[in-house]
Amino acid sequence: MALVVQKYGGTSVGTIEKIRNVARRVARTYDEGNDVVVIVSAMSGETNKLVALAEEMCEFPSEREYDVLVSTGEQVTIALLSMCLQDMGYKAKSYLGHQIPIITDSASSRARILEIGEENIREDLKNGTIVVVAGFQGVDAQGNITTLGRGGSDTSAVAVAAGLKADVCEIYTDVDGIYTTDPRIVPNASKLEKISYEEMLEMASLGAKVLQIRSVEFADKYNVVIHVRSSFNDNPGTLVMKEDADMETVLVSGVTCNKDEAKISVRGIPDKPGIAAGIFVPLSEANITVDMIIQNVSLDGFTDITFTVPKGDLKKAMKIVEGVLEDIGAKGVECDDKVAKISIIGVGMRSHSGVASKMFTTLSQEGINIQMISTSEIKVSCIIEDKYTELAVRVLHDAFELGSDD
Ligand code: ASP
Ligand code: MG
């Protein structure tokens, strides 16, 4: 007998019929002799509606009441799922975050889980009850309702699994697992059997939006193996887990693309101490997150700095940079929002050479110009013109033989 934690996302509980489907899956797991704790999201679209209501009510809703409101979507699904299970003849009981309790800090709408009360859950499991927990929400030390950030039910599930030392943490979604790239771009993208936490963090932050980033950090910290799989079939999904020896033999695990960034180039800056700070301090004070940064070696005492910011912040960022041009003595600034970032990711890069050069050769063979490059231990990213995004993803996926028929 195992203790199984299952999380069902919004698309898996989006209608009454889908909730019935979830109940049947939960019941089957229970019938196989397991203790089952289920975490659910709100029905798909519901949290967005609640957010829109808050925005319609006032421009700056109080953080406390915002969380009181947006956490309600999950209250609906825990009740419906528990009713359905009871109707099928099972013992089931729903819990809101504060009833468990899931204790968090007080950072409204992005709270962090500090502790999970085990007693109520253990008691129920002991008498054969299926425990149904609202994802996304918790309670702070003062008793205020908090939420964990969009997509936070994943983190609820991993935290509950860690707290209970569950044998399995299954995260059910509407895709079969984590793929080598976006299957909408490359139809023969293959499902990964397993992926390391570190690679998953890179994939998630680069746009593979299956798991909330925080849930992966949490799983890494407490060594929870996450099984990402579909609630619409019985195919095995992808295990997100600690790096193992097999993973290192694979050069590249995935190719990702991101069209949400824009590029800013500051030209002809006198190369002396303080110029980078002169640009990036005001940007960070405006809460603009800068991703890639490149500074050239200076010729004749002048240098160029190029960096990327989220597209949504481009106008604001340009205004700030234009405002400091004179102070830093730069000759000019230009920007380009028709760019995309293409990345290859894999822990195997640590122990193999030639991965980056293969990426550059592959892009050049298609006549794709690389505008910026950045690397980390397990990732190489290039900025290219955005019209080549899909082509670049396809040729890199091929070059590293990631397709399901390779
Ligand atoms: N319902 C919340 C959201 O839409 C939490 C979640 O689904 O994970 O962000
Ligand atoms: Mg989600």
Side-chain angles (χ1 to χ4, degrees):
M1 181 163 111
L3 171 49
V4 180
V5 170
Q6 297 186 328
K7 178 254 167 177
Y8 292 91
T11 47
S12 298
V13 294
T15 63
I16 289 291
E17 202 33 61
K18 285 180 177 162
I19 294 175
R20 287 208 174 97
N21 168 56
V22 166
R24 283 191 290 271
R25 301 185 74 106
V26 170
R28 192 173 71 198
T29 310
Y30 179 88
D31 289 340
E32 285 162 1
N34 302 299
D35 284 339
V36 191
V37 179
V38 189
I39 285 86
V40 282
S41 293
M43 295 167 86
S44 51
E46 285 307 311
T47 310
N48 288 345
K49 275 188 210 157
L50 295 165
V51 169
L53 283 176
E55 283 165 359
E56 200 183 327
M57 183 51 69
C58 55
E59 204 180 339
F60 300 108
S62 94
E63 292 191 330
R64 183 182 186 279
E65 305 315 327
Y66 181 89
D67 277 6
V68 170
L69 176 68
V70 300
S71 61
T72 57
E74 276 71 12
Q75 182 161 352
V76 173
T77 42
I78 54 170
L80 289 172
L81 177 60
S82 301
M83 284 175 197
C84 184
L85 284 164
Q86 290 165 2
D87 215 30
M88 291 161 64
Y90 293 85
K91 280 198 267 187
K93 186 169 170 189
S94 68
Y95 282 95
L96 290 166
H98 71 88
Q99 293 172 314
I100 292 285
I102 295 175
I103 313 275
T104 70
D105 63 16
S106 300
S108 302
S109 77
R110 53 183 158 22
R112 282 186 184 269
I113 295 177
L114 303 175
E115 206 187 316
I116 306 255
E118 284 182 53
E119 227 169 275
N120 288 323
I121 302 180
R122 294 267 183 221
E123 188 90 354
D124 286 331
L125 294 177
K126 220 187 290 164
N127 70 41
T129 302
I130 296 169
V131 177
V132 182
V133 181
F136 184 48
Q137 56 174 268
V139 61
D140 74 2
Q142 287 73 45
N144 299 302
I145 291 173
T146 55
T147 60
L148 311 179
R150 298 307 304 272
S153 299
D154 296 332
T155 304
S156 307
V158 173
V160 167
L164 296 174
K165 299 192 178 54
D167 299 286
V168 199
C169 179
E170 296 176 326
I171 297 208
Y172 286 93
T173 177
D174 53 359
V175 291
D176 273 2
I178 313 295
Y179 281 78
T180 47
T181 195
D182 186 340
R184 285 169 303 187
I185 300 176
V186 184
N188 81 333
S190 41
K191 186 174 64 189
L192 294 160
E193 190 190 324
K194 53 189 177 179
I195 183 170
S196 70
Y197 297 121
E198 234 185 311
E199 289 167 318
M200 191 61 216
L201 286 171
E202 293 287 5
M203 303 266 262
S205 58
L206 293 169
K209 296 176 186 79
V210 186
L211 289 175
Q212 195 195 32
I213 291 181
R214 241 184 220 181
S215 71
V216 182
E217 291 167 348
F218 209 102
D220 187 6
K221 189 162 165 195
Y222 294 97
N223 200 13
V224 176
V225 177
I226 302 175
H227 187 181
V228 179
R229 55 193 307 191
S230 167
S231 65
F232 301 111
N233 60 48
D234 288 323
N235 302 339
T238 301
L239 299 176
V240 186
M241 55 188 276
K242 249 200 177 74
E243 187 177 329
D244 67 13
D246 305 351
M247 292 178 186
E248 282 201 32
T249 62
V250 182
L251 290 189
V252 169
S253 309
V255 180
T256 62
C257 59
N258 179 350
K259 293 187 187 175
D260 297 333
E261 286 180 28
K263 184 180 82 169
I264 297 180
S265 300
V266 188
R267 305 254 178 242
I269 320 165
D271 191 7
K272 57 179 194 208
I275 51 148
I279 297 171
F280 296 111
V281 170
L283 288 172
S284 80
E285 280 168 357
N287 266 323
I288 297 174
T289 47
V290 174
D291 181 31
M292 284 191 190
I293 303 177
I294 291 181
Q295 177 181 337
N296 278 347
V297 174
S298 62
L299 282 176
D300 324 321
F302 288 93
T303 187
D304 300 332
I305 293 183
T306 304
F307 56 95
T308 61
V309 297
K311 264 185 196 162
D313 287 335
L314 179 60
K315 269 201 193 125
K316 200 161 105 187
M318 280 299 282
K319 214 165 165 189
I320 291 171
V321 176
E322 280 160 0
V324 302
L325 277 188
E326 207 171 312
D327 282 353
I328 59 173
K331 296 201 176 104
V333 59
E334 57 208 49
C335 67
D336 182 357
D337 64 354
K338 302 230 163 354
V339 295
K341 181 167 74 174
I342 306 293
S343 308
I344 55 174
I345 295 148
V347 292
M349 285 181 208
R350 279 205 199 103
S351 45
H352 295 86
S353 57
V355 177
S357 58
K358 186 167 183 174
M359 177 181 197
F360 307 149
T361 310
T362 306
L363 293 175
S364 74
Q365 281 164 349
E366 298 298 326
I368 300 173
N369 187 39
I370 300 171
Q371 304 177 9
M372 295 172 81
I373 300 170
S374 81
T375 63
S376 79
E377 237 193 334
I378 65 160
K379 179 182 77 171
V380 185
S381 302
C382 296
I383 295 286
I384 61 170
E385 197 180 337
D386 66 353
K387 70 176 184 199
Y388 296 120
T389 309
E390 284 76 16
L391 174 63
V393 170
R394 245 178 275 132
V395 294
L396 289 170
H397 194 265
D398 265 4
F400 288 100
E401 297 175 18
L402 298 176
S404 50
D405 44 2
D406 285 320

